[in-house]
């Protein structure tokens, strides 16, 4: 069995902030980078589950906190998609300097958008895995910011978001809101090199990001495979093993230079099920 170490690594981003991550070191030359989602951190599922599953297969994995999240320095900001893509850039460069090729970058939820943005700008990773990413970034905002959020933020300059108990969580400025609204997922998808393999994984019972968003990624990314996990929620709470198996099969095919496994080639039954609901 491969000996595994979990090493705490600090990487400075382009803004001089320290990003903190955990390297699951198996001794493999290559590695996989795992990115968390909105208001999340490297210790949340599925980041830990995926890193652990990969290490069991002898593949090194690095999960880290974006700036302003978890243990990393910086201030939390709503939006911030492009800046987080640059955080990922700092991580990739760090391992390139150590002669560690990156087999894949994996992102969950908002992290899925970040890895796609990265691939659209930097053509230096062979594979991208988008888990539960949102295609239409102009949607899903009202649930957090309330009705008439555009009018209110233009009037006051910010909106303070509170949790269900009425306690303050974070501030959304007009600038950070516009960062999200001007992040063009469609354009990013079209810019991803056709030689970059992209896999989108989505749960059919995701109540945070509609599963139909997954179909949009499939429509606009040239070298793309879609895998739907029946009954899975946004974080794949009861489907961690299935998620890990799908991710590993894809990464193994990329590492070995083989065609993507047949069960990842299409999800016609799931797609037809979704279309019947739209």
């Amino acid at each position: 069995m491969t000996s595994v170490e979990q090493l705490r690594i600090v990487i400075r981003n382009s803004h001089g902030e320290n990003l903190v991550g955990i390297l699951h070191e198996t001794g493999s030359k290559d590695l996989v980078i795992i990115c968390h989602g909105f208001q999340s951190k490297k210790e949340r599922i599925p980041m830990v589950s995926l890193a652990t599953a990969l290490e069991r297969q002898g593949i090194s994995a690095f999960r880290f906190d974006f700036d302003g999240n978890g243990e990393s320095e910086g201030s939390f900001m709503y939006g911030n998609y492009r800046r987080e893509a640059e955080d990922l850039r700092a991580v990739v460069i760090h391992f390139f300097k150590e002669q560690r090729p990156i087999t894949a970058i994996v992102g969950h939820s908002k992290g899925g958008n970040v890895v796609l943005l990265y691939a659209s700008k930097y053509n230096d990773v062979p594979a991208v895995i988008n888990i539960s990413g949102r295609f239409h970034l102009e949607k899903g905002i009202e649930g957090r910011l309330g009705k008439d959020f555009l009018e209110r933020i233009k009037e006051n300059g910010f909106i303070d978001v509170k949790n269900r108990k009425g306690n303050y969580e974070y501030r959304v400025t007009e600038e950070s809101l516009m960062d999200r609204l001007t992040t063009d997922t469609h354009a990013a998808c079209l810019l991803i090199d056709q030689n970059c393999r992209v896999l989108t994984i989505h749960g059919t019972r995701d109540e945070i990001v509609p599963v139909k968003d997954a179909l949009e990624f499939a429509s606009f990314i040239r070298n793309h495979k879609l895998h739907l996990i029946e009954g899975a929620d946004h974080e794949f709470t009861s489907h961690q093993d299935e998620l890990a198996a799908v991710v590993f099969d894809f990464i193994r095919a990329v590492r070995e230079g083989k065609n993507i496994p047949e069960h990842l080639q299409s999800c016609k039954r799931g797609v037809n099920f979704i279309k019947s609901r739209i």
Side-chain angles (χ1 to χ4, degrees):
M1 184 175 178
T2 304
S3 176
V4 178
E5 290 184 283
Q6 290 192 15
L7 307 173
R8 187 176 186 272
I9 293 178
V10 178
I11 299 169
R12 190 172 292 271
N13 68 9
S14 60
H15 297 278
E17 299 159 335
N18 287 325
L19 308 175
V20 180
I22 300 296
L23 175 62
H24 295 243
E25 180 60 86
T26 67
S28 68
K29 185 175 178 60
D30 64 324
L31 59 85
V32 173
I33 298 173
I34 302 171
C35 304
H36 66 75
F38 179 75
Q39 269 201 306
S40 188
K41 55 186 178 179
K42 62 185 179 300
E43 285 81 17
R44 291 280 298 276
I45 63 169
M47 281 61 69
V48 174
S49 298
L50 290 175
T52 301
L54 290 171
E55 76 173 31
R56 287 174 182 159
Q57 299 294 336
I59 302 172
S60 297
F62 182 71
R63 51 186 171 89
F64 73 100
D65 295 321
F66 287 115
D67 70 287
N69 293 268
E71 291 185 279
S72 292
E73 294 178 349
S75 300
F76 173 80
M77 290 182 64
Y78 186 83
N80 226 27
Y81 290 84
R82 300 175 186 86
R83 183 157 171 162
E84 289 185 359
E86 294 309 309
D87 281 354
L88 177 55
R89 179 63 176 167
V91 172
V92 170
I93 289 175
H94 170 84
F95 287 108
F96 279 171
K97 288 180 177 178
E98 294 195 343
Q99 306 300 311
R100 303 290 297 267
I102 309 302
T103 296
I105 50 177
V106 183
H108 173 250
S109 193
K110 181 186 178 186
N113 292 89
V114 171
V115 295
L116 292 169
L117 277 174
Y118 181 93
S120 73
K121 185 174 182 180
Y122 302 106
N123 181 28
D124 57 6
V125 291
V128 174
I129 302 178
N130 160 38
I131 303 171
S132 305
R134 184 185 294 276
F135 188 87
H136 298 286
L137 294 179
E138 72 280 6
K139 297 183 179 181
I141 300 176
E142 188 174 292
R144 294 185 189 273
L145 305 190
K147 294 183 178 181
D148 303 319
F149 60 86
L150 266 178
E151 291 82 355
R152 288 187 292 116
I153 207 165
K154 286 184 179 298
E155 179 180 349
N156 302 314
F158 64 89
I159 293 174
D160 285 338
V161 177
K162 299 180 180 180
N163 61 23
R164 292 178 181 177
K165 295 182 179 180
N167 297 322
Y168 172 87
E169 283 199 311
Y170 57 90
R171 173 166 290 185
V172 179
T173 63
E174 183 176 357
E175 180 185 5
S176 63
L177 175 60
M178 294 312 296
D179 179 275
R180 172 167 174 158
L181 291 175
T182 59
T183 299
D184 192 337
T185 304
H186 173 257
C189 289
L190 295 176
L191 287 170
I192 297 174
D193 189 272
Q194 63 182 359
N195 293 316
C196 178
R197 295 179 171 186
V198 180
L199 171 66
T200 290
I201 307 171
H202 215 102
T204 62
R205 294 196 177 275
D206 189 331
E207 296 183 353
I208 306 297
V209 178
V211 65
K212 63 183 181 181
D213 278 34
L215 304 182
E216 300 280 14
F217 290 113
S219 297
F220 297 109
I221 299 174
R222 286 171 287 182
N223 192 349
H224 183 275
K225 305 301 175 188
L226 171 64
H227 189 94
L228 304 178
I229 295 185
E230 195 74 33
D233 62 14
H234 189 64
E235 289 199 327
F236 301 83
T237 308
S238 301
H239 297 78
Q240 291 294 300
D241 289 344
E242 186 175 353
L243 173 65
V246 172
V247 169
F248 172 67
D249 283 350
F250 183 80
I251 289 174
R252 178 174 57 185
V254 172
R255 292 177 93 212
E256 296 176 354
K258 296 180 179 178
N259 292 328
I260 301 304
E262 185 65 30
H263 69 277
L264 298 181
Q265 291 288 343
S266 64
C267 299
K268 290 182 180 178
R269 185 171 68 87
V271 169
N272 290 335
F273 169 72
I274 295 167
K275 287 181 177 178
S276 70
R277 294 166 60 191
I278 298 175

